[in-house]
Amino acid sequence: MHVVTGATGLVGAALVLELLRRTDADVTCLVRPGRSDASTRLTAALTHAARAFGHGESFAADIRHRCAAVAADVDLPLCGVDPSRLRGTEFWHCAADQRYEERHWEGLQRTNVLGTRHAVDLATELGCRSFNHFSTAYVAGRRNGTVRERAVTDPLHNNRYEESKIAAEWVVLAADGLVKRILRPGIVIGHSVTRAVVGGHSGMYGIHRQLVQLERMLSMLGDPAVRTRPLRLRADRATPVDLAPVDLVAADAVSLSRSGQAGVFHLTHPTGIRLGDGLDLMFDVAGLPRPHYTYSDTAFTAADREFDRKIDFFRSYLTGHKTFDRSRLLAAVPAPAVSGWQLDRAVLREFQLWYQCHATSRQSVPSLSR
């Protein structure tokens, strides 16, 4: 039996579908009730994900019969769950608060740090053998060069979100009696085949949404000069950016579980793409002139400054030169799914076009995924 938090989010939903596809085990999902009860919310999220990812109706029966929703809240001790009513052998912790500002620090500590402690405690009470924790490769923060697959001992975080994810990793690594895996994906994008993204739009899509909003605002002003003036952007176009499709991240996570290996693992792409190439494509798709890249805001217009403010969360993705070492991943999973996936400008454009067509009415950075 697998126990999963955050199953209605982007990574969590893809993970549950991968567990259904690759194992015979049942999956219990700890879901915080929203506008509907936990079971209704889970079934709707997983069914939508299965269709968006091209599974059609093939997963409908498994979702109905092998997935169970349990009302829960990671903010509560033991996630608000009575352990005597559950059983499990493997725990997957995907739930997270994705806000980053100083004013949200209390909430980030409560959900990302204390919530991880509650999840670890519940896994221990359930007698789970292993605990899989989804973190982010960008706990590397301001560090450049080769980033190793090991615990963060000297934090250089850019924002409160990264700080909370580092602290959550420490909670997991300090736990006793569990096989512990810290899973660090890069920037997660949509499905590798259908390009669809479900359950939360952050990372690359957060910037894209801000561009869409900017384009609409400039169009409403009706001034052609304003509409065609290139935006000045504080970013290094040579920065390598690590993008990985959500289904391949989930596939490699399940492969790591099946390997039995413990440790810290980068679920990242072996090559990545240059930031400038990705952003130029994004501006093209949004219908805006390609930006002027700069290191200073001294010549910013009001529009430049406002856009700069709105993408502050993504600052750590826009500068620096990080390479994510994958030695531990490759030792445990010699042929990771993401390694066989081809990333180039044409493929990235397809992801951006999908978002432009299907998802621009959605929120760019959901506050919670649980």
Side-chain angles (χ1 to χ4, degrees):
M1 172 75 75
H2 296 269
V3 180
V4 180
T5 70
T8 60
L10 173 62
V11 173
L15 171 69
V16 172
L17 295 179
E18 186 70 6
L19 290 172
L20 294 178
R21 186 177 76 86
R22 304 244 321 258
T23 76
D24 296 325
D26 292 338
V27 182
T28 296
C29 301
L30 308 185
V31 181
R32 189 179 65 165
R35 295 176 181 175
S36 56
D37 63 86
S39 182
T40 300
R41 187 178 174 215
L42 176 69
T43 300
L46 294 180
T47 300
H48 174 57
R51 290 172 178 167
F53 293 169
H55 298 307
E57 300 301 319
S58 62
F59 274 51
D62 280 337
I63 292 171
R64 288 196 308 271
H65 301 303
R66 293 175 55 198
C67 292
V70 173
D73 188 338
V74 297
D75 289 355
L76 301 175
L78 297 177
C79 302
V81 172
D82 180 357
S84 67
R85 301 182 61 184
L86 291 181
R87 59 187 180 88
T89 56
E90 187 148 14
F91 204 104
W92 300 83
H93 187 44
C94 307
D97 185 333
Q98 295 178 315
R99 296 173 295 181
Y100 68 96
E101 299 97 331
E102 179 70 34
R103 68 179 184 274
H104 296 306
W105 179 229
E106 183 179 343
L108 286 161
Q109 288 179 305
R110 182 173 59 249
T111 297
N112 291 356
V113 185
L114 191 57
T116 299
R117 164 55 61 195
H118 295 155
V120 167
D121 290 344
L122 178 59
T124 301
E125 287 291 322
L126 294 175
C128 291
R129 293 194 303 266
S130 58
F131 190 95
N132 304 281
H133 175 71
F134 275 92
S135 184
T136 170
Y138 288 89
V139 293
R142 299 188 304 277
R143 186 172 287 101
N144 289 316
T146 301
V147 180
R148 302 295 180 187
E149 294 168 293
R150 60 192 180 200
V152 177
T153 56
D154 52 344
L156 296 171
H157 48 78
N158 291 283
N159 53 58
R160 288 296 201 178
Y161 171 73
E162 292 176 2
E163 183 177 3
S164 72
K165 295 300 283 184
I166 292 169
E169 287 192 4
W170 290 344
V171 168
V172 176
L173 293 172
D176 294 324
L178 293 164
V179 174
K180 296 161 290 190
R181 301 183 189 93
I182 303 295
L183 309 174
R184 293 179 180 164
I187 300 174
V188 180
I189 58 177
H191 190 274
S192 61
V193 177
T194 70
R195 315 311 192 204
V197 57
V198 299
H201 299 180
S202 57
M204 176 181 77
Y205 303 105
I207 298 178
H208 196 148
R209 178 170 171 79
Q210 295 300 334
L211 281 177
V212 170
Q213 292 177 344
L214 176 66
E215 191 278 332
R216 290 173 179 171
M217 180 190 74
L218 295 178
S219 296
M220 289 174 63
L221 292 176
D223 183 346
V226 173
R227 178 67 178 74
T228 58
R229 182 184 299 124
L231 198 69
R232 296 181 70 86
L233 191 63
R234 279 196 300 159
D236 179 356
R237 65 171 298 116
T239 294
V241 178
D242 192 281
L243 304 175
V246 66
D247 56 311
L248 304 187
V249 168
D252 287 340
V254 173
S255 293
L256 277 168
S257 166
R258 294 165 71 93
S259 77
Q261 297 298 307
V264 177
F265 303 95
H266 284 149
L267 306 188
T268 53
H269 195 271
T271 57
I273 196 166
R274 290 197 315 166
L275 176 71
D277 292 337
L279 285 178
D280 285 351
L281 282 172
M282 193 179 295
F283 275 75
D284 290 347
V285 170
L288 291 168
R290 293 182 176 184
H292 174 76
Y293 297 93
T294 180
Y295 292 101
S296 170
D297 63 357
T298 54
F300 272 17
T301 65
D304 297 334
R305 204 168 300 281
E306 177 63 11
F307 188 74
D308 185 75
R309 182 187 66 81
K310 288 187 174 181
I311 64 169
D312 185 60
F313 174 71
F314 309 101
R315 189 72 53 207
S316 59
Y317 305 143
L318 304 182
T319 58
H321 292 263
K322 299 176 178 64
T323 301
F324 297 108
D325 175 53
R326 304 193 310 150
S327 300
R328 285 180 175 270
L329 172 68
L330 294 173
V333 183
V338 74
S339 293
W341 178 68
Q342 181 65 41
L343 173 63
D344 56 29
R345 287 170 56 89
V347 169
L348 184 56
R349 181 179 175 83
E350 292 177 5
F351 282 90
Q352 294 172 348
L353 285 170
W354 186 97
Y355 184 78
Q356 183 85 9
C357 293
H358 294 89
T360 52
S361 63
R362 299 287 298 275
Q363 293 294 318
S364 60
V365 182
S367 60
L368 296 173
S369 176
R370 54 182 179 164

